Amino acid sequence: MAKFLVKFQRYFRRRPVRFFTLLALYLAAGSLVFLHAGFTGEPRVAGSPRGPAAGEGQELPYLGVMQLSRGFPAAAGGRRRGPWFKSTAKEPAERSKVGDYGAARSRVLKGRSGREKDEDRAKYIGCYVDSTRRRTLRGVSFLDYKKMTVFRCQDNCAERGYLYAGLEFGAECYCGHKVQAPNASEPECDMPCKGERSSTCGGANRLSVYRLELAQESARRYGSAVFRGCFRRPDNVSIALPASQPMPNMSVDKCVDFCTEKEYPLSALAGTACLCGFPTTLFTLHEREDEQLCAQRCPGEEFESCGTAEFLLVYQTQVQDNRCMDRRFLPTRSKQLVALASFPGAGNTWARHLIELATGFYTGSYYFDGSLYNKGFKGERDHWRSGRTICIKTHESGQKEIESFDSAILLIRNPYKALMAEFNRKYGGHIGFAAHAHWKGKEWPEFVANYAPWWATHTLDWLRYGRKVLVVHFEDLKRDLFAQLKRMVGLLGIAACEDRLLCVEGQKDGNFKRSGLRKLEYDPYTPEMRKMISGYIKTVDAALKLRNLSGVPEDYYPR
């Protein structure tokens, strides 16, 4: 045997080509066997000419040859509409029955069966005309230009108790309690969803609308209505709060329910009368009264207050105020470049959200952040010098970069809060949180050592090299949004519409506010860190006062 192996080895040493020839023949034979098995083992679907195998049970009906595209033929069960609730318990069984012969075809089969099974949960009712001036569904809205699906939209609307969910442009989700628009033709709603290409999510100014059957009961509950306070009855109450309804058995839920049905964002309880409307210059909600003036028991609910004829108890409903939701690029390219400058973590993204709502124009960015673009900041993709956006986000400092702009809004935030916010963004995303391991590890001390000096130099550089700089403190913007936003809009050269600014106050949080529920159980700043940061605060405070500006707010200094 050993002699045979030695001869075999010597043979292929002298003839290496023969070895590779045999290897190629072996691989070719294996490929032929594999292809043959693929043809003879083709999955069978019940109803096909071959018929089901014995003992396999009932199969899915034969659908014929399908042309996969944005729309599916009638033979394939009509247009594919996603279910309200995803059911995954039967997916493995379905896959074993029909075989794995292409992901797209499997999704179509599953979507068809899912629509039939879940039709009692979310029912497609049609394609409707939609516009920014007159929304088909006037509740809250969500944008996701990367991951939007039919299920995700329905789920978001159902969680908030809405009766209808609609999708538009493949990425925009709208909720509402009633549909208010004419019908459009079905082919106009054939745009594929960004997060699931086999589903359709409306079209250009066309809304695919679903009725959320299982949300009918939950839609009557308004536990998430926001309490705004006690306010004096406005002089022209019929104009300020145009919708009204006498309610002998008044309760908070009943009034909020009525105003939500009427599609108004404000619900005002006046004893046994329910009033609805928008925040306007006639009823700004800026002058709150003592809540004891509204402390009259509700006739229909013993433990609730319902206000009086002179002092109204106001709640904000889930209806979205659409007076400030339309946004677009500048109609003509601007030659003036306005910076929205801030240290990272100082609330720049939130300020952009407010500016876009207040002006109706998109903001741009010195950078490109795909996650922000996917969430609706469409100016993110424009070059920062394009001139199509109302202002440009930047964290840059240094003379050359600063002198590229003609004017600037300089947003300053408490460094203790800004450093923690930026650390959370760096390790947890725009609205996420850094893990405890990052706070306890070496990352946090290194981050503070590198970023704390930058907080000071960033402000000092913009004060030194910037032209026409408007300083806005983040804390002041939170405390008095109306006045501070009016200053910011004025610098941008836009005539501030007060009704629009009041609308922004009701939509101020947007989608980029970190939840306050998750907080560190300890102070991450050491005494050495606080001593260093305190020195930087004093330096910035002195620089502001040197330019006849108000210094930093008092809460910048630790107690």
Side-chain angles (χ1 to χ4, degrees):
M1 184 67 181
K3 290 182 179 180
F4 174 75
L5 291 175
V6 170
K7 289 182 179 180
F8 191 76
Q9 185 181 15
R10 289 176 179 174
Y11 175 78
F12 278 107
R13 280 182 179 176
R14 290 194 294 267
R15 300 282 193 275
V17 177
R18 295 181 182 179
F19 172 76
F20 289 110
T21 303
L22 290 173
L23 181 62
L25 289 172
Y26 173 78
L27 293 175
S31 300
L32 290 173
V33 172
F34 177 77
L35 289 172
H36 177 70
F39 282 112
T40 58
E42 186 179 12
R44 300 179 181 184
V45 181
S48 66
R50 293 174 185 167
E56 288 184 358
Q58 187 177 356
E59 299 285 345
L60 292 174
Y62 177 62
L63 300 181
V65 179
M66 291 183 289
Q67 300 295 326
L68 297 180
S69 63
R70 295 185 180 182
F72 302 109
R79 180 199 291 287
R80 186 237 170 145
R81 306 291 174 187
W84 178 21
F85 299 106
K86 286 186 178 177
S87 176
T88 57
K90 296 184 180 181
E91 287 179 12
E94 290 177 1
R95 282 197 295 269
S96 65
K97 291 176 183 177
V98 300
D100 186 12
Y101 53 100
R105 184 166 181 170
S106 298
R107 284 196 300 270
V108 174
L109 292 172
K110 187 170 66 178
R112 179 175 181 260
S113 61
R115 181 191 170 194
E116 291 170 351
K117 292 176 183 178
D118 294 303
E119 203 165 43
D120 59 333
R121 296 178 177 178
K123 184 177 181 180
Y124 176 72
I125 63 171
C127 180
Y128 291 84
V129 176
D130 190 49
S131 69
T132 56
R133 295 295 181 186
R134 185 170 179 82
R135 288 293 181 193
T136 304
L137 299 175
R138 299 182 183 179
V140 298
S141 62
F142 309 90
L143 305 176
D144 195 330
Y145 289 94
K146 189 175 182 181
K147 298 180 180 178
M148 181 60 72
T149 63
V150 174
F151 167 77
R152 186 174 184 182
C153 177
Q154 293 172 348
D155 190 43
N156 277 320
C157 294
E159 281 182 359
R160 289 157 177 82
Y162 285 101
L163 303 181
Y164 296 92
L167 296 105
E168 183 176 351
F169 285 110
E172 301 177 7
C173 174
Y174 297 90
C175 312
H177 288 287
K178 59 182 177 180
V179 180
Q180 303 183 86
N183 285 89
S185 62
E186 287 300 313
E188 295 180 74
C189 284
D190 270 345
M191 188 175 290
C193 300
K194 298 295 184 181
E196 191 176 13
R197 306 293 293 182
S198 59
S199 298
T200 55
C201 287
N205 294 323
R206 296 295 182 268
L207 204 67
S208 295
V209 180
Y210 298 81
R211 184 171 65 245
L212 307 177
E213 301 293 343
L214 293 187
Q216 298 286 340
E217 293 301 321
S218 62
R220 312 309 296 178
R221 299 193 299 271
Y222 296 99
S224 60
V226 179
F227 176 68
R228 297 296 298 271
C230 178
F231 300 90
R232 186 179 294 274
R233 180 188 182 97
D235 293 333
N236 298 317
V237 66
S238 60
I239 300 175
L241 300 168
S244 63
Q245 177 73 33
M247 291 186 178
N249 295 319
M250 169 73 81
S251 69
V252 174
D253 280 350
K254 288 178 181 177
C255 188
V256 170
D257 180 39
F258 171 73
C259 293
T260 302
E261 288 286 338
K262 294 294 184 181
E263 302 286 353
Y264 285 104
L266 292 185
S267 172
L269 290 79
T272 56
C274 178
L275 310 174
C276 313
F278 296 94
T280 64
T281 52
L282 296 175
F283 195 47
T284 62
L285 303 184
H286 288 165
E287 298 178 2
R288 295 181 63 159
E289 302 288 347
D290 187 344
E291 290 182 22
Q292 289 300 317
L293 297 172
C294 291
Q296 178 174 302
R297 185 178 66 84
C298 290
E301 184 59 54
E302 181 180 358
F303 301 103
E304 292 181 352
S305 297
C306 279
T308 68
E310 289 300 320
F311 295 95
L312 312 181
L313 208 58
V314 179
Y315 288 83
Q316 184 167 326
T317 71
Q318 295 184 33
V319 175
Q320 189 172 53
D321 191 344
N322 288 317
R323 295 176 300 165
C324 57
M325 298 305 293
D326 58 306
R327 287 169 289 174
R328 58 195 175 101
F329 289 102
L330 292 174
T332 57
R333 294 182 183 270
S334 174
K335 296 180 180 179
Q336 299 290 313
L337 296 177
V338 183
L340 178 60
S342 73
F343 174 78
N348 199 302
T349 301
W350 180 54
R352 289 178 67 184
H353 164 74
L354 297 176
I355 290 171
E356 289 194 0
L357 295 186
T359 64
F361 297 113
Y362 290 118
T363 59
S365 177
Y366 196 82
Y367 322 98
F368 170 68
D369 188 331
S371 66
L372 292 182
Y373 178 82
N374 292 331
K375 294 297 182 182
F377 288 92
K378 293 186 178 180
E380 194 75 17
R381 275 191 176 176
D382 263 38
H383 189 273
W384 66 278
R385 287 185 178 274
S386 70
R388 298 205 307 158
T389 53
I390 193 69
C391 64
I392 298 100
K393 164 188 174 177
T394 180
H395 299 310
E396 299 299 310
S397 55
Q399 182 176 359
K400 181 179 178 182
E401 289 77 9
I402 293 172
E403 290 179 348
S404 301
F405 295 94
D406 300 289
S407 57
I409 298 170
L410 178 59
L411 190 63
I412 305 174
R413 187 181 186 184
N414 184 327
Y416 294 103
K417 301 290 182 61
L419 288 169
M420 292 178 69
E422 175 59 12
F423 191 72
N424 277 320
R425 187 207 63 80
K426 185 174 182 180
Y427 290 99
H430 280 284
I431 56 174
F433 294 87
H436 282 282
H438 293 131
W439 294 101
K440 289 292 189 180
K442 64 179 182 179
E443 293 92 344
W444 172 242
E446 290 178 354
F447 179 86
V448 173
N450 292 327
Y451 277 68
W454 182 19
W455 176 85
T457 58
H458 182 277
T459 301
L460 296 175
D461 282 354
W462 277 95
L463 292 175
R464 182 181 305 161
Y465 303 118
R467 292 174 285 182
K468 198 178 178 182
V469 177
L470 173 68
V471 175
V472 177
H473 292 284
F474 176 86
E475 293 74 18
D476 292 340
L477 186 60
K478 285 184 65 177
R479 184 167 45 249
D480 190 359
L481 186 142
F482 185 88
Q484 296 299 324
L485 190 56
K486 192 173 182 179
R487 292 175 63 219
M488 296 163 70
V489 171
L491 180 77
L492 298 173
I494 302 293
C497 173
E498 292 197 2
D499 279 355
R500 189 169 183 119
L501 293 178
L502 291 169
C503 170
V504 176
E505 284 189 311
Q507 320 288 332
K508 62 183 179 181
D509 287 342
N511 297 320
F512 285 89
K513 181 182 178 182
R514 250 181 217 97
S515 169
L517 298 177
R518 180 177 172 184
K519 293 183 178 179
L520 288 177
E521 298 175 354
Y522 57 90
D523 183 1
Y525 292 100
T526 64
E528 292 78 13
M529 291 177 182
R530 288 190 172 276
K531 183 179 179 181
M532 174 183 63
I533 294 172
S534 181
Y536 294 135
I537 292 174
K538 292 177 181 177
T539 302
V540 170
D541 183 64
L544 290 170
K545 291 178 178 177
L546 189 63
R547 288 160 177 78
N548 296 320
L549 300 171
S550 59
V552 300
E554 292 183 1
D555 58 4
Y556 280 29
Y557 296 99
R559 295 177 181 177

